[in-house]
Structure formats: C-alpha cells, structure tokens
Amino acid sequence: MAQIKKDTSLRKAILQAAITGQLISDIGGESDVLFSNEKKSKTKLDSEADLPLASRVSKRNSVVSDSERTTPSPRGYAPKTPNEFASFENQNSVSERSERPTLPETGKQLLDRIIEERNKKLLADWEEKQTDLFASNDAHSKNAKTVRSEQIRLLKKAKKPAPIVASEIDEDEIPFEIPENWCWCRLEDICLVKGGKRIPAGCTLTDIDTGHKYIRVADMKNGSVIVENVKYITDEIHDKIKAYKISKDDVYITVAGTIGDSGIIPDELDNANLTENADKLVLFNGINKYCLHFFLSSGFFQEQISDAITKVGQPKLAITRIQNFLLPLPPISVQNAIVAKLEQVLPLVDAYENALLQKEELKSALPDKIKKAILQEAITGQLTESWRKSANIKENGKQLLDQIIEERNAKALAEWEEKVKTNPKAKKPAPIVASEIGEDEIPFEIPESWCWCRWGELSELIQYGYNAPAKESGRIKMVRITDIQNGKVQWNTVPFCEISDTDIQVYQLRKNDILFARTGGTVGKSFLVDEEPENAVFAGYLIRTQYDDKKLNPKYMKMFMESQIYWNQLKNGTIATAQPNCNGQTLSKMILPLPPLEEQEEIVKKVEELLELCK
C-alpha cells in the first residue's frame, strides 16, 4: 500500500497569514488608532521609514563578533520566552518615553534600535581593543619616543570599524504587502548566522554521558530536538570543536541532508555542540525566537530556501544565502501576539490534519484489510459454509487429491515408457505419494470434505524462467516481474530476447500459468495468466507453475497465493540475503487446503463478487 502524505495545506495557510500580518489584524488596528491620535509624532518618527526602499544605504560587508548577542540592552535584559516578550516592549528609557509616551515601537524603529545597539557594541569593542593595545605597549616600551612610534603604528593597524547599516532592499524584491508598522529587512540584520562543526575524521559519537552533548540533524524533529536521541562526544573531541555550540536562545536551521527545517533548542541542550549540517541563528535583542521559527517554517521562507540550495554536488544551504533571506519584521508586541495565536491555533490544526490523515489511511487500507479477511474466510471454508449444506458434492478433497496424484503417476509412467524405446537406460520415475502433514503444521481447521496437501503434489510443473539479455527487438517478448503491474502485464514495456525454437516450446507462456517472483523486493508476488497471452516467454527471475485445470481451478490457486498462510510460509522459507530469494523447492513444500472442485469454483465466484463490491 502506497504511503499517504499528510495534508499540511491548512498549516501552511495559517503560517502564511502570520508572516503577512493577516493572522492578527486586531493588533495592527490598535496600533493604527494610537498612531492616528498622534499624527504629528507619527510624521516625525516615520519620516525615514517612508522613504523609498531603494534609497536606503547599501548593505554592510563586515562580520561582527558573536559577543554581540550577550550585549546588555539599554532597555534592560534580552527577552527569551513569549511571556518575557510581553513586558519587554514597555521597557523604554525615560528620554524616549518623554518624546513619544503613547506610541508603541514599530518594526522600522525596532530594526534601527538593533543596528544602533550593534554599532555601539562594535565601537566599544574597538575602543577596548585600543586600550588593551596601548596598555600592552606601555608595559614593554623603554622610552616615550618608542611608545609614540608604536602607538601610531597600532592606530594604523587597528582601523576603526565601518558602521553597520540596514540591508538595501529593492522595491521589486518585495513579494507582498505588510502592515504599515512592519518593515522589510534581511535575516542578517536581526541575527548572526553561524555554522556547526563535524567531529574529527575517525572519531565516533557515544551513548555514554560525557557531559558534552552533540546535536545531529537526525535529532531535530517538529521544531525542536529529541533530547532522548542525542549522542555525546569525548573530552578529546570536545576540546577540538568546543567553539561550535548552540544556545537555548538560538534558533537552528538544517543546511544539509534534510534542508530548511528550523526549531528551538530545549533548555537541557543549552550549549550543546552542533553538527556541521545545521547552522545557528544568534538573535539580537528584540527578536522573538518562536516567531522567527514560525516564519522560517512558512511557505514564503521555504521557497527562498529551495531557491538558495546549491544544485551542484551535494545539496547544501550556504550561510551567505541564509543571511540574504528577506524577512518581514513586526514590532515586538506583534511578534508576541503572533506566537500566542499560533501556539493556540497550530495544535488544533495538527489534530485536524492528523485526523484527516488517519481517515485517508483507513480509507486506503480498508479495501486491503477487507480483501485479506475475505480470502481468509475463503481458504478456511467459512465463506461457503451455507453453500455446503445444500450442495451435492460428488468428490471430496481427499478423493480429488488421490485422483490428481494417480493421473500424474500414470502420465509419468507413460512418458518413461516412451523414453525407454529410444533409451533403454532411462530411469523409471519414483511414484508420487501424498505427503505426511504433521498436526503442528496445520494452522487452522477446515471442513471435513476438504484436505491438506502440498503444492508440489498438485502442480504438474514448477519451472524456472529463461535467462537472456533484454533487447529492444528480437524474436519473442520476455516477461519480467517488473512488467506486471496491478495484475496485468504492461505489454508496451516488455522487452524482446533471442531464443531458439526449441526453447520457445519449453518457456512459452500459456493460459492458466501462474508466475511467481523468486528474488528481490517483489519475492512471492504472483501473476495468473488468465487470458491467452501474447507470444512471449518468461524471464529467469520468475518461476512458473502449471496444473490440470480440469481438476483445479487456477483462480483458487492464485487466491491462495494472496492469503496470509501463503505469505507466512513464504517468509519462513525465504533465504535472507541482500536480495531475498525463494526457490521452487520452498514453493513445492507449502501446505494448502484443498476443497472439492465444485467448491473451488463456488469460492472463486463468491470472492470475485465480494471484491467487486469493495472497489
């Protein structure tokens, strides 16, 4: 049965509504009212935001240090949870409150503040570095002249850093409209993107708790990390890759193998080592990590990710391309409201989508389950129980088996007598006798008029197919198991082969043949040739069985080959190798219930009627 994919269209639609600002229009409306009451202040504060996007300053090229994430905010601490974000928006300085006491911060003002704080930290780091350099020089210099000379050299060497500016975004890059109090930016404007690190060559992970956790992409599931699956690294490995850790305040994004999944790091995995197949997004103050994760999961971001994946060699998502992703940036209050709404709605959406999936799986599996139940009823005799009460059975299953064996022995003896005429040394065939079947072999009870027997006692022929290379043209077609789909031979895909006239007579398909796959992933799959076939032979990975259709109904035999008792015996007799295989001897030893011929026909009739109703 083909695997059914979960329908996530509703979830995608809700995430798209979140990233476009449509999910929480009431928050936007409240902001609009506040802004309309302070038109003068609005004009002053938004004058820069109203400029055309193309006129913004060009994107910076410098890379700032990872220490920026820990910089204390002039507005207080950096919020890390949805509840903390609720109060963070009101932590403004006294001077700012005096300028705009009633207006919440916009997305543009948030972006400006983030960049301002980053520049302050960048400048402070540079100044601290200068102080350290001069202090070190003073300690080692012998005279003032040498000190001054060295100071001039250091000043030239330690160039003052260029200020960070917001990324330039052209009008034609903007894919959709966003609320007025949001703004467009790039991912690098609001976070640092840093990679993980693979363990050194020749080293392995361990299940032993060494205190050094190592997060793999395989551990990243459903927007989080499965803590129970996390492996560990030794002290020696940790010393080599300890610089590549991820914080619980960061967001991960997978960049190789499974690409584009994002999520939150659980508290238990704070400062765990990170795989090279994922990057961490180190967020600046004022960015809600939960909101960013939801945005990264949206169709808008997934399209950007798909377009950014390298197409040459192993697919991978480069850091520079992640940094360049477009992002609609809401104010802090809106980020928090989006998270609150999604945390309320998405569990309901997941439950709904899971219910739909279960319904579709049940709908898909039901015909197969019903078919198995019908076949089980058929081969146990329960399907025809009422029929037997009024039927006039001329010959029971045991008598039918004896007659089949008797006729096969007579045929074999006649063939031997013909051979002896030309080859006096031809060996006389051993007579076929009914096999002993132990009680421990019998899986269920059958009607008294039936009997247990083995496949080899019923089959006149168990024959391997013809081995030859497949060709686009040739004398005759050669059916392979791959040419059989949904109970039909796809004759347009069947290749040709070269074969002698003698072998054609030996391997040519005939009506009522049953073909059986003896190797590979389809081992055990069978096919009944129920119509006059095209001129064709069968390939070497198939086994053919033939019967006397005056004594056995081929469709009953085929139904047995779809029953659970058949598959159970096949599984026990299959040779477990890289390519599972089953031989003719395994098939000949299988036991099966044999009803009288009249009941075989009645079983086939009833099964076909019932299966037709299941379509």
Side-chain angles (χ1 to χ4, degrees), residues 544-561:
R544 170 170 67 179
T545 61
Q546 291 180 333
Y547 319 87
D548 182 354
D549 56 14
K550 294 182 176 60
K551 299 287 189 298
L552 297 168
N553 188 310
K555 289 185 177 181
Y556 172 79
M557 302 297 286
K558 176 65 171 70
M559 286 176 183
F560 166 77
M561 296 185 82

Side-chain angles (χ1 to χ4, degrees), residues 224-296:
S224 186
V225 180
I226 303 175
V227 178
E228 296 78 11
N229 293 350
V230 169
K231 302 288 185 179
Y232 297 85
I233 54 176
T234 62
D235 292 342
E236 181 183 359
I237 297 174
H238 176 260
D239 289 341
K240 294 179 180 179
I241 64 172
K242 60 185 177 182
Y244 299 89
K245 294 185 176 181
I246 188 167
S247 163
K248 62 183 175 63
D249 302 323
D250 301 334
V251 173
Y252 71 75
I253 181 170
T254 57
V255 297
T258 300
I259 298 178
D261 286 354
S262 68
I264 308 299
I265 300 298
D267 290 349
E268 307 96 300
L269 300 179
D270 187 27
N271 289 322
N273 289 87
L274 181 65
T275 173
E276 79 281 6
N277 294 325
D279 293 341
K280 63 178 179 179
L281 308 182
V282 185
L283 312 184
F284 297 124
N285 292 339
I287 303 301
N288 186 318
K289 64 180 180 180
Y290 301 97
C291 186
L292 181 59
H293 159 57
F294 286 133
F295 278 18
L296 290 171

